[in-house]
Amino acid sequence: MVYALVDCNNFFVSCERAFQPELEGRPVVVLSNNDGCVVARSNESKAMGIKMGTPFFKVKHLVDAGTLEVRSSNYSLYGDLSRRVMHILAEAAPRIEIYSIDEAFMLLDGVPEADLLPLCRDLIVRIRRWVGIPVSIGLAPTKTLAKVANHFAKRYPGYRGVCRIDDETKREKALQLTPVDDVWGIGWRMGPKLKGLGVNTAYDFTRRPEVWVHRLMGITGVRTWKELQGMEAVQEETPARRQSICTSRSFADMTGDTQELTLKISDFAAMCAQKLRKDGSAAYCVSVFLYTNRFREDLDQYYPQATIRLPVPASSTPEIVGAALRAFRTVYRPEFLYKKAGVIVHDIVDGASIQGAMFEYDDAVRLRQDKLSEVMDQVNTEGRNLLRLATQRPGHYADGIRREHCSRLYSTSWDDILEIH
DNA sequence: TCTGGGGTCCTAGGACCC
DNA sequence: TCTGGGGTCCTAGGACCC
């Protein structure tokens, strides 16, 4: 197999730049929801030493001094540009697997050897010209090695955006130059642990015996170990149906108020229900979690979670919201101040396949709720909850969420335009 | 004062059964 | 009262990803 990992460079920043050319060449960061912390950095801001996840208040002085540009995240814009990039890849490759908003694997088996590099170079030019996004491509016989190759393509301009690992010499050299904690699948916990055991590079890691890796890291570590040696071990198919859907937010201000939390939980649950229906799915389980502010060591902490299991999988807004509120009531305690909450639906099944099981349940009520949800979906498109249950908060769900550095919404969806205040 | 959101997979341990 | 192994299912928690 030949895998090509196509990765958009500094994706969120590049999206902002695509519509604001004046940001080109300037240090830029994009913030998380609530303007909490840095989630994307341009090369210039990386060079300034700003780390991923830095709380915004720590770099705000740079913004005030005019040496750093900042934008709130604008997910509808990023989603739109992502779809355009993926569309171009899908037309160019026999098959693609979309891995995240800014990454996809192209499966290039069957493409003649001599065409591989020209194909990739052409894609880089086209995506830049048509969408305005710079991408890098790594080619290799396994996904993990394609990731390694992609790092090189990104880091060294000499590759002009494409790096290929296709023989033993290149593989060993690349792994010797790759710190072990840069490997896909080795995170912040295992990285330091491996280094403490004398495993500093990806190459060192591959030289350890399989049983050693298995004992230390389990089956997932062994998969990474094999992939780095050119043996395919990472599961092929991403399951078509999501196994869980989560909607959660941090609040701009802490709250212990039942009313307010009820409104928020209702909204999160309604959004989960809407996502379920969009996927054509239904869920057996609805969980609610609450977090106090873990950074406030002076306050009492409480991180409860509760799950309601429904007799029949549901996707209607009233059923999901009802279950979420029941779960909420079992764990809510008024003496704490909460900073974040969320709703997760899981144990998800195909919505079409559950029709037959419905006779156990009150058909009339169910059908009415499903019908009601259908109508709500027609009126409410994402981000515009014109129709909602009485428990849901009035106004936009994003009320109470900070978004002070938002760029104009450039990509042309009607919903987005209505969102401009 | 201010610290993201949305996922997946694996494993250990408890409950229960024979 | 104490005694045993083995299987399955479920859940919580940990680790990882972007």
Side-chain angles (χ1 to χ4, degrees):
Chain A
M1 182 58 80
V2 179
Y3 289 101
L5 174 64
V6 183
D7 190 320
C8 301
N9 302 344
N10 312 330
F11 183 56
F12 295 174
V13 168
S14 297
C15 290
E16 297 290 338
R17 281 177 171 166
F19 293 92
Q20 301 165 85
E22 68 276 15
L23 295 179
E24 210 69 51
R26 304 244 327 127
V28 183
V29 295
V30 174
L31 303 179
S32 63
N33 236 316
N34 230 9
D35 290 349
C37 62
V38 171
V39 293
R41 303 159 296 158
S42 68
N43 290 342
E44 298 79 9
S45 53
K46 286 177 190 170
M48 289 166 65
I50 297 171
K51 300 266 180 280
M52 188 74 168
T54 304
F56 176 52
F57 71 88
K58 289 192 177 171
V59 294
K60 188 166 179 302
H61 64 283
L62 297 170
V63 178
D64 296 338
T67 53
L68 179 67
E69 294 286 343
V70 62
R71 295 292 179 273
S72 298
S73 43
N74 179 347
Y75 287 100
S76 46
L77 173 67
Y78 310 151
D80 188 19
L81 296 193
S82 172
R83 274 188 295 277
R84 294 187 207 178
V85 171
M86 299 307 172
H87 186 74
I88 292 172
L89 298 181
E91 298 225 304
R95 215 178 108 208
I96 71 168
E97 287 175 14
I98 296 175
Y99 178 68
S100 73
I101 193 166
D102 70 335
E103 269 178 61
F105 289 101
M106 297 195 288
L107 286 67
L108 296 177
D109 262 17
V111 176
E113 183 62 32
D115 294 347
L116 286 170
L117 282 178
L119 171 81
C120 293
R121 297 218 180 280
D122 178 56
L123 278 171
I124 290 175
V125 172
R126 269 157 61 198
I127 293 171
R128 182 78 210 223
R129 192 169 296 156
W130 295 355
V131 195
I133 300 292
V135 304
S136 304
I137 303 182
L139 287 158
T142 67
K143 289 182 175 179
T144 308
L145 284 172
K147 280 270 194 183
V148 172
N150 188 283
H151 275 137
F152 283 87
K154 200 160 285 182
R155 203 161 311 141
Y156 302 103
Y159 288 109
R160 292 186 296 130
V162 188
C163 172
R164 181 168 187 200
I165 296 173
D166 59 348
D167 65 38
E168 235 356 59
T169 317
K170 289 184 199 166
R171 185 184 71 84
E172 289 195 3
K173 182 153 182 231
L175 295 189
Q176 282 161 3
L177 291 170
T178 302
V180 73
D181 47 355
D182 279 1
V183 171
W184 190 42
I186 295 175
W188 64 280
R189 283 221 175 250
M190 283 319 299
K193 200 163 177 182
L194 286 166
K195 291 194 167 175
L197 292 164
V199 176
N200 290 298
T201 67
Y203 183 76
D204 296 340
F205 181 65
T206 60
R207 303 312 294 167
R208 292 295 169 126
E210 180 173 343
V211 284
W212 185 89
V213 174
H214 191 276
R215 213 178 322 121
L216 189 70
M217 305 172 65
I219 187 72
T220 49
V222 172
R223 284 187 192 139
T224 300
W225 180 84
K226 285 185 174 170
E227 286 252 320
L228 287 173
Q229 298 177 71
M231 297 178 270
E232 285 187 63
V234 170
Q235 68 300 333
E236 311 260 320
E237 290 300 318
T238 49
R241 190 166 300 285
R242 284 187 284 186
Q243 295 177 20
S244 67
I245 294 171
C246 174
T247 306
S248 73
R249 293 290 182 276
S250 293
F251 311 140
D253 301 300
M254 293 183 285
T255 180
D257 183 64
T258 332
Q259 289 282 0
E260 194 171 345
L261 288 166
T262 301
L263 292 175
K264 289 186 187 288
I265 299 289
S266 299
D267 265 352
F268 298 157
M271 289 174 72
C272 286
Q274 203 177 338
K275 291 180 202 169
L276 275 172
R277 295 193 295 270
K278 194 173 165 195
D279 288 1
S281 300
Y284 271 108
C285 288
V286 180
S287 297
V288 165
F289 62 84
L290 302 170
Y291 290 167
T292 48
N293 188 343
R294 69 183 193 281
F295 297 102
R296 289 290 299 271
E297 289 172 9
D298 55 320
L299 298 178
D300 289 334
Q301 300 292 313
Y302 182 45
Y303 306 109
Q305 169 155 356
T307 301
I308 297 284
R309 193 176 173 85
L310 300 164
V312 178
S315 64
S316 79
T317 297
E319 284 172 287
I320 301 292
V321 170
L325 292 180
R326 265 183 286 149
F328 168 69
R329 283 192 287 268
T330 67
V331 290
Y332 167 73
R333 286 167 55 187
E335 64 269 35
F336 294 98
L337 287 172
Y338 301 94
K339 176 64 181 169
K340 177 174 175 174
V343 174
I344 306 168
V345 293
H346 49 114
D347 211 335
I348 287 174
V349 296
D350 184 351
S353 71
I354 61 168
Q355 298 295 331
M358 276 173 43
F359 62 86
E360 291 281 354
Y361 198 71
D362 185 340
D363 284 9
V365 171
R366 246 197 97 86
L367 286 173
R368 252 179 45 214
Q369 293 184 336
D370 282 343
K371 188 70 196 166
L372 171 63
S373 297
E374 228 174 86
V375 174
M376 290 177 71
D377 286 343
Q378 284 163 15
V379 178
N380 297 341
T381 48
E382 217 167 316
R384 285 193 313 139
N385 292 341
L386 298 175
L387 265 185
R388 61 180 74 77
L389 301 180
T391 46
Q392 287 176 256
R393 61 181 301 118
H396 194 282
Y397 76 88
D399 287 356
I401 291 185
R402 238 175 244 128
R403 222 179 165 195
E404 290 173 359
H405 308 274
C406 204
S407 54
R408 298 264 327 267
L409 297 147
Y410 304 93
S411 64
T412 53
S413 141
W414 191 58
D415 304 334
D416 294 341
I417 290 170
L418 286 186
E419 231 180 271
I420 296 176
H421 326 290

